[in-house]
Amino acid sequence: MTEFVDACRQEWKRLGVPEAVANEMAADLDADLDEARAEGVSAEEVIGSGVFDPRSFAAEWATERGVVPTPAPTLVEDRPAIPAPKTRNRTLTIGAVTAAAVIAFIGFALAIRHSGSVAVTRVVGPLKPFAPPRVEKWPVPFAVHGPGTPMHGIGVVLFLAGVAVLIAAALYWSRRARTTH
Amino acid sequence: MVVSGRRRTELLRGVLDLCLLAVMQEGPTYGYEMTKRLRARGLSMVGEGSIYPLLARLERDGLVETYRSASNGGPPRKYYRASAIGQEALATGVAEWRAGRDAVDAVLSPVDVEVKS
C-alpha cells in the first residue's frame, strides 16, 4: 500500500468512516495507482491536485460518498486548545483593568470611610451660663477612625495602586493606538 | 500563466461530471480507466481536482450505477456506468454546454489577438 493510500486510510479512520467502506475505497485507489505506476503514469495524473494533500482528498471523497458521520470530528491541531495569543492577551488586559478598577474603588471607599470624621460634634442641650454644654459624638459606628488608622492607610494604598494600573493601561492603549494607525 | 490555468480549472470543474458521464457512454469503466479515456481526448487531470469525489457524488445522486468486477488480470474494480437519470442529465448538460459555448464563441470569436509566447 502506498504512503498516499495509507494517509487516506488514517483520515478516514479519524473521520469515523466505516471500516468496510474505507477498505473498499483504499483498495480501489491502490489498484488504480498500481496500474498507473505500471504504465509509467504519475499519481497526479490519476488523483489530480489531491495528490499533494491526501487528507483533504480523503475527506472530500468520503464526504461525497456520504459516509462521514456528521458533525465530523475536528482535528486536534485545528482545535484551539488555548486561545490565540492575541485573544489571550486581550482577555488578560481586560481582566487586569477590571481588577484595577475594582481595587481602586474599594481603596477609595475604605479611605473615605475611615477618613477621620470623628470631630463632628453637636450641641444637644441649651447653653446654660456657668455650665459647659453637653456634647456627644455623632455618629460613631466604629471604634477606630481617622487618617492615621490602618484601614485608612490600606484604602489609600489600594486606591493609588488601582489608579496607577488604570493610568498605565490607558497610556499603553493610547501608544498602541498611535502605532497601529 | 496562473490566470489561464485557474480559468481552465474553473471551466473543467463545471463540466467534469459531464465528461465522466460521456466517457462512460463508451462502456462501463473504473476510475483509472476513466482518466485514461479523458487523457486520450486531451484532458489531463494534472493540476485539476480528482475524479474520485466526483464519481462518489454522481453515485450518491443516482446518476451512475456501480458494480464490482475483475479487471484484466488485476484485482476486482468498481465499474461505473451512467444510469437512466445520468443519461438524461448528460443530454441536458451537453445541450447547456453547447448553448453556453456558442454564446461565448459569439462574443470571443471576433476578437483577433495573437497569443504572445
Side-chain angles (χ1 to χ4, degrees):
Chain A
M1 183 167 291
T2 65
E3 198 177 314
F4 182 85
V5 178
D6 203 34
C8 290
R9 274 187 161 285
Q10 284 177 23
E11 181 64 8
W12 290 326
K13 190 175 180 182
R14 189 189 72 77
L15 291 171
V17 173
E19 201 174 343
V21 180
N23 287 341
E24 184 196 302
M25 290 195 291
D28 286 339
L29 191 57
D30 213 23
D32 281 359
L33 289 173
D34 274 351
E35 191 178 339
R37 202 178 306 118
E39 293 179 1
V41 173
S42 70
E44 191 183 358
E45 190 70 65
V46 182
I47 299 166
S49 54
V51 76
F52 303 111
D53 188 358
R55 279 198 340 201
S56 296
F57 165 78
E60 188 187 356
W61 190 4
T63 303
E64 291 293 359
R65 274 196 73 154
V67 290
V68 178
T70 50
T74 316
L75 272 174
V76 173
E77 55 262 43
D78 289 348
R79 195 188 314 138
I82 50 173
K86 202 173 177 182
T87 314
R88 196 169 61 236
N89 285 345
R90 187 178 297 168
T91 310
L92 282 173
T93 309
I94 290 170
V97 167
T98 308
V102 169
I103 288 169
F105 177 78
I106 291 170
F108 181 75
L110 278 174
I112 290 296
R113 189 80 183 83
H114 301 274
S115 62
S117 56
V118 288
V120 176
T121 58
R122 62 174 177 166
V123 177
V124 292
L127 286 172
K128 294 176 184 171
F130 313 113
R134 190 162 56 89
V135 174
E136 80 180 24
K137 287 182 179 178
W138 172 84
V140 190
F142 295 103
V144 182
H145 285 277
T149 61
M151 290 306 279
H152 177 83
I154 290 169
V156 170
V157 168
L158 286 178
F159 175 71
L160 292 177
V163 168
V165 171
L166 288 174
I167 290 170
L171 286 173
Y172 169 76
W173 272 334
S174 67
R175 198 169 51 193
R176 200 172 155 195
R178 273 202 303 274
T179 52
T180 44
H181 290 296
Chain B
M1 182 193 270
V2 177
V3 174
S4 81
R6 195 187 309 147
R7 181 175 296 118
R8 181 183 183 279
T9 299
E10 285 169 5
L11 282 170
L12 186 57
R13 191 179 299 154
V15 291
L16 189 55
D17 56 341
L18 292 179
C19 295
L20 291 176
L21 288 169
V23 295
M24 284 177 213
Q25 293 292 94
E26 298 171 21
T29 178
Y30 54 91
Y32 176 58
E33 204 174 67
M34 264 182 261
T35 63
K36 283 203 286 186
R37 289 183 186 179
L38 291 172
R39 197 166 63 243
R41 287 159 182 75
L43 208 56
S44 166
M45 295 311 295
V46 172
E48 309 298 342
S50 174
I51 65 165
Y52 294 90
L54 189 50
L55 286 170
R57 192 192 311 163
L58 292 174
E59 185 179 6
R60 205 180 54 180
D61 293 345
L63 299 178
V64 297
E65 294 165 347
T66 63
Y67 62 94
R68 289 209 161 263
S69 178
S71 57
N72 298 334
R77 310 298 271 270
K78 185 175 187 175
Y79 280 81
Y80 297 82
R81 65 180 167 218
S83 67
I85 304 171
Q87 299 208 5
E88 208 173 297
L90 176 62
T92 308
V94 168
E96 285 170 349
W97 165 258
R98 285 181 181 148
R101 180 200 61 192
D102 290 348
V104 173
D105 271 352
V107 175
L108 298 184
S109 292
V111 177
D112 187 20
V113 286
E114 283 183 21
V115 178
K116 290 177 186 172
S117 55

